[in-house]
């Protein structure tokens, strides 16, 4: 997917009250081919293409009949899962309100809350084949703190996956530059047959995000 040479970059005029950083973000959005493609395809975010590309490489969605989407908002990953696995039971959770998606159960609650795992499993009807997480902590501008906060979410997601997955199941999660922390990586390798890191083409080049893909849950 690439923008033709005849399609010039769009410039955004600086509006009163808009910061320089927000202007740059808006320009980047307007000039991003994945954003345009997502809009054309009816996906809610460019993140949909990250899952599509990861699925093409690892076959993540293949054979999944029960899928958990942690941090579902705005719903791009769930849309892809629903399209590729229309018969699957899909349950998503997020603190943010998420517009309804046909065939997907959406829980508006904090995944870190004690009652969240039981709520997810109650709607799923059985052990999941796939737990996927695109969660990231709200950044505070301090690189080390932001990394620790996001990795805390990843560790909680991994613990949930290990506690609930069906044998042979898969875990997919967003991590930051440097990949999965050593302790978590050891835990995943202990519980899954293969653990790999990947950066799909849809991830912006300047982004620090990577994804960890753990497959073949040992049960």
């Amino acid at each position: 997917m690439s923008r033709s040479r005849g399609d010039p970059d769009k410039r955004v005029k600086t509006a009163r009250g808009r910061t320089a950083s927000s202007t740059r973000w808006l320009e980047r959005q307007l000039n991003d081919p994945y954003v345009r493609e997502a809009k054309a395809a009816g996906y809610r975010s460019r993140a949909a293409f990250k899952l599509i590309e990861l699925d093409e490489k690892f076959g993540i969605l293949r054979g999944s009949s029960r899928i958990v989407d942690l941090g579902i908002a705005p719903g791009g990953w769930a849309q892809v899962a629903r399209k590729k696995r229309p018969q699957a039971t899909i349950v998503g959770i997020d603190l943010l309100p998420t517009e309804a998606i046909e065939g997907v159960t959406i829980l508006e609650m904090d995944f870190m809350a004690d009652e969240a795992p039981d709520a997810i499993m109650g709607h799923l009807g059985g052990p999941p084949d796939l737990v996927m997480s695109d969660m990231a902590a709200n950044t505070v501008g301090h690189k080390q703190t932001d990394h620790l906060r996001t990795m805390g979410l990843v560790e909680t997601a991994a613990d949930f996956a290990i506690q609930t997955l069906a044998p042979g199941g898969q875990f997919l999660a967003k991590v930051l530059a440097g990949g999965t922390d050593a302790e978590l990586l050891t835990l995943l390798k202990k519980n899954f047959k293969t653990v790999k890191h990947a950066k799909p083409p849809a991830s912006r080049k300047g982004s620090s995000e990577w994804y960890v893909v753990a497959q073949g849950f040992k049960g």
Side-chain angles (χ1 to χ4, degrees):
M1 185 187 307
S2 62
R3 180 170 49 81
S4 68
R5 294 180 180 177
D7 183 9
D9 284 349
K10 295 180 180 179
R11 298 292 179 185
V12 176
K13 293 181 179 179
T14 302
R16 182 178 298 174
R18 182 190 294 149
T19 64
S21 61
S22 65
T23 299
R24 288 194 299 271
W25 178 87
L26 186 54
E27 284 182 348
R28 188 172 62 185
Q29 289 291 101
L30 291 172
N31 294 308
D32 189 328
Y34 281 101
V35 172
R36 293 198 295 269
E37 188 70 14
K39 187 175 181 179
Y43 291 126
R44 296 180 183 177
S45 70
R46 70 192 306 283
F49 291 102
K50 300 174 189 177
L51 180 58
I52 290 171
E53 290 164 351
L54 289 166
D55 182 51
E56 288 173 350
K57 184 171 183 177
F58 297 102
I60 293 165
L61 295 168
R62 189 184 309 130
S64 296
S65 59
R66 293 189 182 95
I67 300 171
V68 176
D69 186 355
L70 304 177
I72 187 174
W77 276 23
Q79 286 180 302
V80 172
R82 173 68 175 161
K83 183 176 182 179
K84 294 206 170 192
R85 302 296 303 167
Q87 303 305 317
T89 300
I90 304 171
V91 178
I93 184 170
D94 206 300
L95 263 174
L96 298 174
T98 306
E99 187 178 343
I101 300 171
E102 183 180 355
V104 178
T105 299
I106 300 173
L107 306 177
E108 188 177 330
M109 62 188 302
D110 186 355
F111 172 63
M112 303 296 279
D114 291 341
E115 61 272 20
D118 286 342
I120 293 170
M121 296 304 294
H123 287 280
L124 205 58
D129 306 297
L130 169 63
V131 173
M132 54 187 190
S133 168
D134 201 27
M135 294 189 295
N138 291 330
T139 58
V140 296
H142 184 267
K143 189 174 182 179
Q144 187 174 10
T145 300
D146 291 339
H147 180 86
L148 290 172
R149 283 158 57 96
T150 291
M151 290 312 300
L153 290 175
V154 176
E155 289 167 4
T156 305
D159 182 66
F160 171 79
I162 290 168
Q163 294 296 323
T164 62
L165 275 172
Q170 303 173 94
F171 174 63
L172 165 67
K174 176 161 62 182
V175 295
L176 298 178
T180 309
D181 291 350
E183 188 175 338
L184 178 57
L185 190 59
T186 298
L187 179 66
L188 292 176
K189 287 183 174 180
K190 179 181 177 181
N191 287 278
F192 293 86
K193 292 180 180 178
T194 64
V195 180
K196 298 180 180 179
H197 287 92
K199 187 176 181 70
S203 287
R204 290 192 172 103
K205 292 180 180 180
S207 169
S208 63
E209 70 180 14
W210 281 72
Y211 289 85
V212 60
V213 182
Q215 297 179 292
F217 180 60
K218 297 175 183 179

